[in-house]
Amino acid sequence: MPRVLVVELGGPDPRAAALGRVLRDEGMEVVHAGPVDTDEQVLRIAEQEDPDAVGVLGGELRTTLKDVRVFRLGEPADPANGVFETPGEVAEWLSGGRSHTSGTPSDRVR
């Protein structure tokens, strides 16, 4: 089960909760770090949480994380560079195949 860290770079992003739900529904462990201001904060949180992947919302990470897949939500989509338009596309990419909940809303409410 992949462990995914979700960060909101530069301020709150309402897509974070939706992304977390979709990934959780796909069986992934999701750690939502919330809003952070700097790449350095993302690096420190990633060191503490030891994720398999980091999802960046609201900005672009300008540094690399060793052995960690980094993705973000944005337009236009560019999966080869880890840019996706929807949480379902992210789940499919992380699971390496077709997502069974793509397009299906979560039955869980927060």
Side-chain angles (χ1 to χ4, degrees):
M1 163 174 59
R3 181 176 174 91
V4 182
L5 173 64
V6 176
V7 297
E8 300 165 66
L9 194 57
D13 190 315
R15 301 174 297 172
L19 175 61
R21 277 194 300 272
V22 169
L23 297 178
R24 183 198 59 220
D25 288 352
E26 286 293 327
M28 297 177 203
E29 181 181 358
V30 177
V31 177
H32 183 203
V36 296
D37 294 318
T38 67
D39 288 2
E40 181 63 33
Q41 288 175 308
V42 175
L43 290 172
R44 278 188 272 132
I45 295 167
E47 287 174 357
Q48 292 171 355
E49 297 296 340
D50 192 29
D52 299 301
V54 174
V56 180
L57 301 168
E60 189 170 344
L61 195 61
R62 293 173 301 276
T63 188
T64 58
L65 299 169
K66 186 176 168 68
D67 299 325
V68 176
R69 298 169 80 178
V70 177
F71 65 90
R72 65 185 180 92
L73 292 180
E75 293 181 13
D78 185 4
N81 290 309
V83 181
F84 303 91
E85 290 184 12
T86 68
E89 292 170 345
V90 171
E92 185 176 333
W93 179 71
L94 288 173
S95 66
R98 179 80 180 115
S99 169
H100 76 278
T101 62
S102 291
T104 305
S106 174
D107 60 347
R108 297 181 186 110
V109 178
R110 289 188 175 223

